[in-house]
Amino acid sequence: FVSLGTSGVIFTVSDAHRACPERTVHAFCHCLPRRWHQMAVTLSAAQSLSWLAGVLRAPVGELLGELEAAGTTRTDVLFLPYLSGERTPHNDPEATGMFFGLTAATDRPALTLAVLEGVAYSMADGIAALEAGGIRIRDLAIIGGGARSPRWRQILADVTGRSIVLHGGGEVGPGLGAARLARLGAGGDFSDEAIRRICPKPELLARALPEGGQRDRHGARLETYRALYRSTRDLMADRQR
């Protein structure tokens, strides 16, 4: 699943330890027997949108509403969401955020859309890092504050080429998951039947499917996004000297 909160986390489960330290993939033993989990982490996800809202002195909901009212579906502006450095895949504490491609015609909806897309590009980098370690990702269940935005869910689907699924109860997902794990542990039964009974699949609320034309456009922008980081990485580090 993907958590689109203050930071962004892509969490996967596998039957083997699939570390990929060169791409800063977290790999740990799962709390359930015979399982492992891997994570890719974006340090500034929904926080990036909150930061923009603070700079523009407008609530997040107002910015998203303006974006829909303006009908803005494309922007030439690119945003690097490295407001607190970046973990996966760069492991670079010196990385910084950036707007690229600003002109006199750039307005608030264009900036908002650039932030939504930039975070999605960072998530795409996380998926690529996980798959470099041998994980295969099909669908992504989404939780977190950013999951409430249909536009953001669709952008994630278009950028990643994966179905983005919203389930009921996501706002209590981590706490409920911990309680269910405690119940399994207390019972000492980790069979597949017990897991299915105590951890039933939540209700499906919405599903965003990737749109082919948008996928092609985002593929080209993603390459520019990656090149922008590579081109400015040394300058980001030099600013501290």
Side-chain angles (χ1 to χ4, degrees), residues 34-84:
R34 302 179 300 281
R35 290 174 175 83
W36 296 79
H37 73 87
Q38 287 74 227
M39 295 189 302
V41 179
T42 294
L43 292 179
S44 296
Q47 179 188 1
S48 294
L49 188 57
S50 297
W51 165 81
L52 180 67
V55 170
L56 297 179
R57 298 184 180 181
V60 166
E62 181 178 320
L63 293 182
L64 293 173
E66 280 184 2
L67 177 60
E68 297 307 314
T72 303
T73 59
R74 297 194 176 199
T75 177
D76 292 329
V77 180
L78 277 169
F79 175 70
L80 299 189
Y82 307 146
L83 300 178
S84 303

Side-chain angles (χ1 to χ4, degrees), residues 28 91 193 199 213 234:
F28 303 101
N91 195 24
E193 189 281 329
C199 306
D234 291 342

